[in-house]
Amino acid sequence: MEQQTVTLTQLGWRPFFQQQLSLEELTELSIGRVVEQHRSHIMLLSEAGNIQLTLPPQSERICVGDWALFDDSNRLVRHLERQSLFQRKAPGSKVATQLIAANVDSVMIVCSLNHDFNLSRIERYLALAKEAQVEPVVVLTKRDLCSDVDDKCQQAQQLDPFMMVHAVNALDDESLQGLSAYCQTGKTVAFLGSSGVGKSTLVNGLMGFEAQLTSGVREDDSKGRHTTTSRALKWLPQGGLLMDTPGMRELQLSDCEQGVNDTFSEIIDLAQQCRFGDCSHESEPDCAVRAALNDGLLDERRLNSYRKLMREQALNSATLAEKRAKDKAFGKMIQGVQTASRKLKKNY
């Protein structure tokens, strides 16, 4: 991230973060924002320029977008409370959460208009955005390869009538003008989307130059090849900050029940009208959800998607809760052993 002089306001600083600082921290420590994240170190951008901080082995988890305090020796002191945070269950069988991005103002949910168009996948990202209380913006790419753009835009809009939906050709500058409002000075925009939907091409279009490598589209499934491999903040010509993330090929929800409920709010409203509070919406009498299905007021795909995401987040959340409980018990056991050892040494 290259810029000679920068103010905290340009980086997205606001009263929410200022109020977390003590007078001592304001006078003795420096403030920076994490613009790059690596395994052993992070890169901060501050009013003094770029700063590289080595992360100690047992340091608190930190991610791109965080605000951090550091001392004169370039040692990380702490990061500030986040205004928003995107996280997910870590890919594979590992029982842990993975931090994606912090302090984002708008998240652009990118989906292509070719064979990759998938409403259920968009709903997953919507659940993440709503859980983090970040404004979701759906960006449908590759409109030049689609013959029914208006129909697919309408399908996406029906997921949330208050959500902005943009259909773009990332190779056409005029087509991208509608996204400029989200990219102004002090604003941070994140990109979420599966591999090959054209995120890198979209980033290059907004940046005005080829900031990221892109790959062609495979003819057998209309999917591009995954090209983004790291998370970083980049300056936009409009003055804002852009955070592009690697394609999430294993997006799994955890601790995201509120986000799922907000994404499917019409189902939640209907469920409150059922005769039974624990209605499964299968065969119970006076089920408002089943009635809405029969009357054509609710799409069965939508109900199935809601059920799937709720099962997934419940399973992952339960697994994570079990891990936390085991870690806590293990910590108490270690503490007990250390206490007993100190007593023995004292007696001898």
Side-chain angles (χ1 to χ4, degrees), residues 86 104-109 125 129 134-138 189-192:
F86 287 96
V104 172
D105 296 298
S106 300
V107 57
M108 294 190 180
I109 300 170
Y125 287 107
V134 173
E135 177 190 27
V137 180
V138 171
V189 178
F191 280 67
L192 297 178

Side-chain angles (χ1 to χ4, degrees), residues 106-113 117-119 121-127 129-130 134-141 152-168 178-179 182 189-193 202 263:
S106 300
V107 57
M108 294 190 180
I109 300 170
V110 185
C111 182
S112 65
L113 283 164
F117 182 75
N118 188 308
L119 292 174
R121 187 177 300 137
I122 294 175
E123 287 166 341
R124 284 174 174 266
Y125 287 107
L126 280 177
K130 290 179 181 291
V134 173
E135 177 190 27
V137 180
V138 171
V139 181
L140 303 177
T141 62
K152 288 182 177 175
C153 285
Q154 185 178 10
Q155 291 181 50
Q157 188 69 73
Q158 289 175 347
L159 300 180
D160 184 342
F162 301 104
M163 175 181 65
M164 295 301 296
V165 177
H166 299 268
V168 302
L179 304 181
Y182 309 101
V189 178
F191 280 67
L192 297 178
L202 187 59
T263 301

Side-chain angles (χ1 to χ4, degrees), residues 37 63-64 85-92 97-102 104 107-111 116 118 120-122 124-129 132 190-200 223-231 243-254 312:
Q37 177 187 3
C63 66
V64 171
L85 174 66
F86 287 96
Q87 58 185 336
R88 65 168 184 177
K89 181 181 179 296
T97 55
Q98 181 184 47
L99 305 186
I100 302 173
V104 172
V107 57
M108 294 190 180
I109 300 170
V110 185
C111 182
D116 190 66
N118 188 308
S120 296
R121 187 177 300 137
I122 294 175
R124 284 174 174 266
Y125 287 107
L126 280 177
L128 277 175
F191 280 67
L192 297 178
S194 57
S195 300
V197 296
K199 288 204 282 50
S200 295
K223 292 185 178 182
R225 296 172 177 85
H226 180 60
T227 54
T228 308
T229 58
S230 62
R231 297 183 178 90
M243 184 186 304
D244 188 33
T245 65
M248 296 186 185
R249 288 164 287 186
E250 290 188 34
L251 179 63
Q252 298 185 50
L253 306 181
S254 62
E312 181 178 307

